Amino acid sequence: MTRIKTLLLPGWMVISALTVMGQTQVGEVALDLVDEQSAIVKSGSYSNTYWVLNDSGDEARLFPLRADGTAIIPPYLQRHYTDRTRAFPGIPVYGAVNQDWETLTRLGDTLIIGDTGNNGNARRDLALYFLIEPNPKASDGVHVLSRIPIAYPDQDGWPPEEWDFDCEAIFTFQGKVYFLTKQRANQRIDMPKPATHLYRLDSRRPNRVNQLTLIGGKDNLGGWVTGAELSPDESRLTVLIHHPINAGIWIFPKPRRGDNFLKQAGQYLPLGKLGQCEGICWQDNRTLIITNEDRDIFSVTLD
């Protein structure tokens, strides 16, 4: 069973947080099949429910978890999955393929899966999957509503010279989906410093490629962007980073006008050595849930 450690950061101050956060190991999700956890989002319809997914190479499926990391299994299936040798296989997503699932977000009662990983820098089939959130206690599968192909307006080669078109972070704001790229600077970490671009999806045509709209960008983040989520009241955006420096969180307030969250300076919270952190979501307007690929779960409370 996963244990959750709560870390209080009064006024977002980080003077004492670096040591505590960097040295705390808090357990792991017991379900073995969650072996490369890449994203997490809180349910909008069911209490104490979080959805997670595995990275590329896994089946097209989602895993419903409680806040303590235990799997939510429909009652009529529980007798079949009593130990690790017959582990609960999750909820299959029919009509989807996990080519490189890296991110997950929610728009009302609709889950959005980002098949937007691009480690080889040459993909021309990036897409989002939209699906109605299933009832984790009564569903053994869910069908895709639509697959929306997407492309970057500033990419002109496959592969391009720049390593700027990998995405592990999507979020929603005012009914639209936004993308934060994981820019790897030609695989070098010295120059330029890790950066990101912010894009918006303005159309959802399933039968043709939807060009994203470039909104803005930010340099010198201190690490690659691996997750993002807007608070429930839409007052602040959190951006999760890791590598080459230890994991950390950027917090950007809602813009006074428009949707360029990266236009403002933002505040940085170092997390220390918490592993390869790739999932982040809000539990409420003050509390963040963070996960890493080793199945650890952390809770960070902001005043």
Side-chain angles (χ1 to χ4, degrees):
M1 179 182 296
T2 298
R3 302 176 303 280
I4 295 182
K5 177 70 173 180
T6 299
L7 305 170
L8 183 62
L9 308 180
W12 301 358
M13 295 299 291
V14 299
I15 296 176
S16 62
L18 178 60
T19 301
V20 175
M21 284 182 165
Q23 297 178 349
T24 303
Q25 178 67 37
V26 298
E28 65 178 5
V29 176
L31 191 60
D32 284 351
L33 290 178
V34 183
D35 58 359
E36 197 173 356
Q37 186 170 305
S38 293
I40 185 170
V41 68
K42 184 182 179 183
S43 169
S45 302
Y46 306 102
S47 63
N48 194 20
T49 300
Y50 297 82
W51 297 96
V52 302
L53 53 77
N54 282 326
D55 204 337
S56 58
D58 193 25
E59 301 173 19
R61 57 183 171 182
L62 297 171
F63 296 92
L65 305 177
R66 300 180 184 87
D68 64 359
T70 56
I72 301 174
I73 304 174
Y76 60 90
L77 294 178
Q78 288 177 356
R79 65 186 180 89
H80 298 292
Y81 304 108
T82 56
D83 55 39
R84 292 180 179 226
T85 61
R86 290 181 58 83
F88 175 57
I91 296 179
V93 181
Y94 302 125
V97 175
N98 184 350
Q99 182 166 345
D100 196 355
W101 290 7
E102 291 285 359
T103 179
L104 180 65
T105 191
R106 181 176 58 81
L107 190 58
D109 64 353
T110 300
L111 297 178
I112 307 170
I113 300 170
D115 189 4
T116 52
N118 193 12
N119 289 330
N121 204 34
R123 286 190 62 185
R124 301 192 70 169
D125 57 354
L126 304 172
L128 299 180
Y129 288 106
F130 288 73
L131 53 146
I132 295 295
E133 182 182 359
N135 185 333
K137 295 182 179 180
S139 302
D140 54 12
V142 58
H143 286 267
V144 166
L145 288 174
S146 59
R147 178 184 182 273
I148 306 301
I150 62 102
Y152 298 98
D154 46 340
Q155 181 175 359
D156 57 8
W158 291 268
E161 292 184 4
E162 305 85 3
W163 289 73
D164 293 351
F165 304 104
D166 189 9
C167 176
E168 298 187 5
I170 61 175
F171 65 95
T172 60
F173 174 56
Q174 296 184 348
K176 294 201 172 183
V177 184
Y178 290 77
F179 301 69
L180 286 166
T181 54
K182 177 183 176 181
Q183 296 180 225
R184 289 175 286 159
N186 293 318
Q187 304 281 35
R188 295 180 58 184
I189 62 174
D190 54 344
M191 186 176 67
K193 298 298 183 183
T196 190
H197 279 159
L198 174 65
Y199 298 86
R200 184 183 65 232
L201 177 65
D202 287 325
S203 61
R204 297 187 199 170
R205 297 182 294 264
N207 58 347
R208 59 183 295 187
V209 175
N210 297 266
Q211 293 284 336
L212 302 179
T213 301
L214 178 61
I215 303 299
K218 181 73 71 175
D219 293 327
N220 302 317
L221 293 176
W224 297 338
V225 173
T226 57
E229 184 78 335
L230 194 65
S231 60
D233 62 4
E234 295 192 336
S235 66
R236 47 188 173 176
L237 172 70
T238 54
V239 178
L240 180 67
I241 65 168
H242 88 87
H243 188 81
I245 303 173
N246 294 329
I249 304 170
W250 282 93
I251 300 176
F252 298 97
K254 177 183 176 180
R256 293 183 178 179
R257 293 182 298 274
D259 56 2
N260 187 0
F261 284 86
L262 303 182
K263 187 175 182 180
Q264 297 145 113
Q267 293 179 285
Y268 178 67
L269 304 176
L271 295 178
K273 296 180 179 180
L274 297 186
Q276 188 167 324
C277 293
E278 296 207 353
I280 188 168
C281 72
W282 290 85
Q283 188 174 54
D284 52 47
N285 286 314
R286 296 181 60 245
T287 310
L288 288 165
I289 299 295
I290 299 172
T291 64
N292 64 22
E293 283 200 339
D294 295 323
R295 301 180 295 181
D296 298 326
I297 299 179
F298 309 91
S299 175
V300 178
T301 301
L302 305 174
D303 266 357

